[in-house]
Amino acid sequence: MKHPDPQVLEALDLAWDPDQGALGKLRAGDFDADLADRYVGLLNSIEVMEGESLHQDLVRLLWFAPLFSEWQVERAVKRGADQQAVSNFCDLVRERVMEILGTP
């Protein structure tokens, strides 16, 4: 999907919702593997052509996700999540966001 697609931006925003989103639930220490898989799938569906300008909302919704996810690992593990599953999710998010946004 093209990144400025309103559906993509809406889905990325929903990922931060505390009741329905992978990242929002993770904020409370609740790692939902199904939501995590859907979020990674969403990230993998984003297509950015080389040299294309990024929509500011895309950047706003993505840049913090890797760091935020890593900060939540301990909280999720204390609440019963599998550490390896949460760590794998964090790795996938970090790698894909780096691909989308680029690295210095």
Side-chain angles (χ1 to χ4, degrees):
M1 301 179 107
K2 288 298 215 176
H3 77 274
D5 182 314
Q7 290 179 329
V8 170
L9 296 175
E10 183 178 329
L12 288 171
D13 191 43
L14 184 63
W16 292 94
D17 182 88
D19 298 319
Q20 302 176 55
L23 300 173
K25 290 182 76 117
L26 192 57
R27 177 177 277 139
D30 182 12
F31 178 71
D32 184 315
D34 291 332
L35 287 176
D37 287 344
R38 281 188 258 164
Y39 182 67
V40 171
L42 173 63
L43 294 178
N44 287 333
S45 76
I46 297 171
E47 297 175 20
V48 177
M49 304 304 288
E50 189 171 331
E52 182 179 7
S53 293
L54 298 174
H55 192 281
Q56 69 181 21
D57 287 335
L58 177 80
V59 175
R60 177 180 62 80
L61 293 166
L62 287 181
W63 76 269
F64 189 56
L67 185 58
F68 170 82
S69 298
E70 290 175 9
W71 286 348
Q72 306 310 312
V73 172
E74 186 177 329
R75 177 179 292 143
V77 170
K78 283 182 181 177
R79 296 220 30 208
D82 178 84
Q83 183 169 0
Q84 189 61 52
V86 181
S87 293
N88 288 345
F89 169 70
C90 294
D91 291 345
L92 292 170
V93 169
R94 182 184 61 253
E95 293 300 317
R96 185 61 187 135
V97 170
M98 286 172 45
E99 290 171 0
I100 294 168
L101 298 181
T103 56

